[in-house]
Amino acid sequence: MKKSFILLFLSLALFSHQEKVVAQTLNVSTAQELQDAIAEAKAGNEIVLQNGVWKDIQIKFYGEGTADKPITLRAETPGKVSIEGVSNLKLGGKYLVVKDLHFKNGYTPSNSVIQFKINEDSIANHSRITNCVVDEFTQPNREVSDHWIEFWGRNNQLDHSSIVGKSNFGPTVRVFLKGNEHVNNHHQIVYNHFGPRPRKGGPHGETLQIGSSHTSMTPSYTNVSNNFFDRCNGEVEIISNKSNFNEYRNNIFFESEGSLVLRHGNYCTIDGNVFIGNDDSEFIGGIRVINTGHWITNNYFYKIRGNEFRSALAVMNGIPKSPLNRYNQVTDVVVAYNTYIDCKSPFQFGVGTNIDKKDVLPASEIRSARPERMLLANNLVYDHKEDQYPIVNYDDVGGVTFKNNILNSENKSGVTSDGISTKVFEVKQVSEDLYIPTKNQEDVFHGFDFETIKSDLFGADRQKQNSIGAISLPVSGNQVLVQKNLYGSKWFSTEASNYTPKTIAVSSAKSLISKLKNAHSGDILSLKSGVYKINTTLLIDKNITITSSDKDKKAELRFATGITGFEMHPKGILNLENISIKGDKTQDAIVTLDKNMSKAFNLFIKNTEISKFKSVIKAYKASFADTIAIDNSNIKDCLTGILLNTETDAKGDYNAEFVFITNSTFDQVQSSVLNYYRGGYDESTIGGNLVLKNNTFTNSGQADESGLLIQNHGIVNVIFSDNTFRDNPVKEIAILWGEKGQKPVNNVTENSGEIRIEQNLKQKLMY
């Protein structure tokens, strides 16, 4: 009897265990099975998505897990489950985990791709997104705003994920604090790879935004640590802090055209971060300071060449009695134990001061409140090439105290203090981009609460070994600033393919059309000399070069009546070199799609002749070129020239980031040769770049109602030099923006009007 009872007990126990094992894993292969599995899931269950493409699916993942038994939604094989088409994911409940999914080839139908909230009654808490990828999951129309990941609730986490390629409006990741259930949230954003994010050509291109101006006085306690911000170029604010008590620790900002910006909110900690620039860009920034109570410690800055808003340390002036959405005064901020290597004028104060613009801006926009009770102490500045102006002050810095800051260059700037001294000291390179001092500078300043700065950039105990700068000797191990394998999803890479471009011979119009369609991105179409009569628009949706095989005998592309020459598609790159393209004034030479230009295009024209078109380049609204470059080319007998002027909403947007026109001739262009426009009072972007150098303009502009030959309204960065203007029947050649340092240099004008400088450009307020 006893033996039978034991056998029965063991059988029941085994059966129960088997049931438990089976119940823990719910395999699904259809949307209906997934929906049913989510409805049935209990704490400890795993829902496994079958490998393959899940298209046009809106997942609502809800449930009540526990800390030790979360409910998990994952891929059968990491990276083998792709969420595509019109799709998104929303979470609601507690202790939910999503892992190993790949969002690509699509876009969200809602405000977000992944959202820690299903609705107001179903908010996620203690939930996690890990080892996932969101890859160019961007809206077809760049003007449609969304966020790829929205944080709501409390104690949620994004980790070891790769977030790449957002090109439309809206921050990539957004933390919301609307309501008590979302404040004091303690979210964790850790070990992710953000970027590259392409240039957007306007504001609202942040990679990470925590809070908003309306909730900026709210405590968030979000932790952003150990992330890799890789060429995040969306706008001037890589991170836009807009709430209180957040921490930014040990992040890498690699060649990202912007800054970590303390835009709103107070009492943030910025510790142990690395900012890496280069010699080629003046748009890569560091930390921009606004508001109260921040501690900026142990950060390392290398080759930050930016100025003003993008300087290594940009301390802004505030607006007296500022409204929530503008600029509060900087007070009670500590900047200590940071290292600056080969940075251009790393300390810039009074950034944004605009008292001289009181005639064109309302009093509520005048930034005249200077920093108060700010401390700079124990910072180390080293330049391999002497920089005698380490400090730039756009206003008085009497409210800033300097203590024990050491430079290796003589300080000839307008700000001097006993707390800024020049010493002879050396640094040595120990790994790529990392220079450390050969000797500790031990004369540190011990300020109030400085004992709370317990370690240096690499975690060394400052109580045992302390030194001015971010790094104290000895440095343990072989320290490397960027170890890419630490960040993002293990199964995903942003590295470019190793494809070797092919040169493809073309001898007829039919062959050109066919081979263009079938070419691989990067290929070169080499045209035999002769005339190619083209009766269809050539679509450019990849990187293509079209050139003549004989540089002395240019091939001529002659487009039929009414047929547009080239149509630029998202990610299209067109290189025209040593050819001639000709119309009959019934077509545009190069035009973008009129809608759904989801990503940027690029255009490079060299040693090329363009003649007899309605327009040379025409960009539709919401289209954007990263670079348009025309060099050593001849543009003649066209109705109008280059039209980059469709962003007229005065919201800071524009149609191209870089426009280079060099060594070229423009003759008999009836309307404006160039109309390049940015409207709206905005500091959140590079603001457009125009280089107009060593060109000749003749007999052009007579039909343009503006009376201007070159229109560059609102473009921030302009080089206007060494050009010749002859016999152009216009009132003015151009109007340059004096406040931005624009001025004509070595230009020759004959019977062509004047080049006028307007110091303070009147612009429509965006806010």
Side-chain angles (χ1 to χ4, degrees), residues 447-460:
F448 177 76
D449 262 357
F450 271 37
E451 68 277 6
T452 62
I453 310 173
K454 294 182 178 179
S455 58
D456 74 352
L457 175 65
F458 295 122

Side-chain angles (χ1 to χ4, degrees), residues 97-159:
V97 176
V98 177
K99 58 193 297 189
D100 308 333
L101 304 183
H102 190 180
F103 290 81
K104 65 177 184 177
N105 299 330
Y107 60 94
T108 177
S110 62
N111 292 331
S112 57
V113 179
I114 300 173
Q115 181 173 289
F116 287 94
K117 182 178 78 168
I118 293 175
N119 53 47
E120 296 300 329
D121 298 320
S122 184
I123 297 165
N125 294 290
H126 300 284
S127 294
R128 179 185 181 197
I129 304 293
T130 183
N131 202 36
C132 289
V133 172
V134 185
D135 177 17
E136 296 192 3
F137 208 73
T138 199
Q139 295 287 339
N141 182 350
R142 292 176 65 254
E143 290 188 311
V144 175
S145 181
D146 66 14
H147 313 114
W148 280 4
I149 299 171
E150 285 189 3
F151 277 85
W152 298 84
R154 291 181 172 179
N155 299 295
N156 294 315
Q157 180 164 313
L158 173 70
D159 68 273

Side-chain angles (χ1 to χ4, degrees), residues 97-383:
V97 176
V98 177
K99 58 193 297 189
D100 308 333
L101 304 183
H102 190 180
F103 290 81
K104 65 177 184 177
N105 299 330
Y107 60 94
T108 177
S110 62
N111 292 331
S112 57
V113 179
I114 300 173
Q115 181 173 289
F116 287 94
K117 182 178 78 168
I118 293 175
N119 53 47
E120 296 300 329
D121 298 320
S122 184
I123 297 165
N125 294 290
H126 300 284
S127 294
R128 179 185 181 197
I129 304 293
T130 183
N131 202 36
C132 289
V133 172
V134 185
D135 177 17
E136 296 192 3
F137 208 73
T138 199
Q139 295 287 339
N141 182 350
R142 292 176 65 254
E143 290 188 311
V144 175
S145 181
D146 66 14
H147 313 114
W148 280 4
I149 299 171
E150 285 189 3
F151 277 85
W152 298 84
R154 291 181 172 179
N155 299 295
N156 294 315
Q157 180 164 313
L158 173 70
D159 68 273
H160 296 93
S161 293
S162 298
I163 316 295
V164 179
K166 191 174 194 292
S167 57
N168 64 306
F169 278 46
T172 308
V173 177
R174 177 83 185 268
V175 177
F176 284 89
L177 294 94
K178 296 179 179 179
N180 287 335
E181 62 269 53
H182 309 293
V183 305
N184 294 307
N185 54 64
H186 298 277
H187 295 315
Q188 302 292 312
I189 301 173
V190 295
Y191 288 103
N192 301 291
H193 184 172
F194 292 107
R197 176 161 186 172
R199 301 180 182 103
K200 182 189 157 293
H204 311 297
E206 305 93 337
T207 294
L208 173 58
Q209 180 179 327
I210 302 178
S212 69
S213 56
H214 299 294
T215 61
S216 58
M217 296 297 106
T218 303
S220 182
Y221 292 100
T222 294
N223 174 43
V224 180
S225 296
N226 298 291
N227 298 285
F228 183 31
F229 293 89
D230 180 10
R231 291 162 289 169
C232 292
N233 299 337
E235 62 146 272
V236 71
E237 299 185 22
I238 305 165
I239 294 178
S240 185
N241 180 87
K242 295 186 176 182
S243 50
N244 294 339
F245 304 113
N246 299 312
E247 295 190 2
Y248 303 94
R249 296 184 184 272
N250 307 319
N251 301 288
I252 307 291
F253 296 85
F254 179 77
E255 296 186 354
S256 292
E257 293 180 344
S259 303
L260 192 170
V261 179
L262 301 166
R263 182 65 180 84
H264 300 304
N266 307 301
Y267 304 108
C268 292
T269 299
I270 304 93
D271 180 82
N273 301 282
V274 172
F275 298 82
I276 300 174
N278 57 48
D279 289 326
D280 299 325
S281 176
E282 296 181 352
F283 302 124
I284 298 169
I287 298 171
R288 179 150 57 102
V289 185
I290 307 147
N291 297 315
T292 293
H294 308 300
W295 280 62
I296 301 169
T297 56
N298 291 319
N299 301 287
Y300 177 89
F301 303 81
Y302 178 63
K303 285 191 175 181
I304 304 301
R305 319 297 292 170
N307 192 37
E308 295 188 74
F309 285 81
R310 286 178 167 83
S311 54
L313 179 71
V315 181
M316 288 197 67
N317 267 19
I319 296 170
K321 298 180 181 179
S322 173
L324 281 175
N325 68 335
R326 301 312 291 135
Y327 292 89
N328 281 319
Q329 184 179 24
V330 173
T331 60
D332 303 296
V333 169
V334 174
V335 180
Y337 290 115
N338 301 285
T339 292
Y340 303 83
I341 304 291
D342 294 333
C343 296
K344 178 184 176 182
S345 301
F347 303 137
Q348 300 201 16
F349 297 93
V351 169
T353 184
N354 58 359
I355 299 170
D356 62 336
K357 296 183 72 173
K358 62 181 182 297
D359 293 335
V360 296
L361 290 175
S364 60
E365 284 295 320
I366 300 302
R367 296 187 284 264
S368 59
R370 301 157 180 156
E372 292 288 345
R373 301 183 304 280
M374 184 175 186
L375 173 64
L376 260 72
N378 302 333
N379 297 291
L380 190 72
V381 179
Y382 184 91
D383 291 288

Side-chain angles (χ1 to χ4, degrees), residues 84-99:
E84 303 188 18
V86 183
S87 300
N88 62 12
L89 167 67
K90 297 182 179 181
L91 295 80
K94 294 187 299 187
Y95 296 104
L96 306 176
V97 176
V98 177
K99 58 193 297 189

Side-chain angles (χ1 to χ4, degrees), residues 658-662 689-693 695 717-720:
F658 296 96
V659 178
F660 302 95
I661 302 175
T662 55
N689 298 265
L690 172 63
V691 175
L692 199 76
K693 188 173 183 179
N695 305 289
N717 307 289
V718 175
I719 294 175
F720 202 103

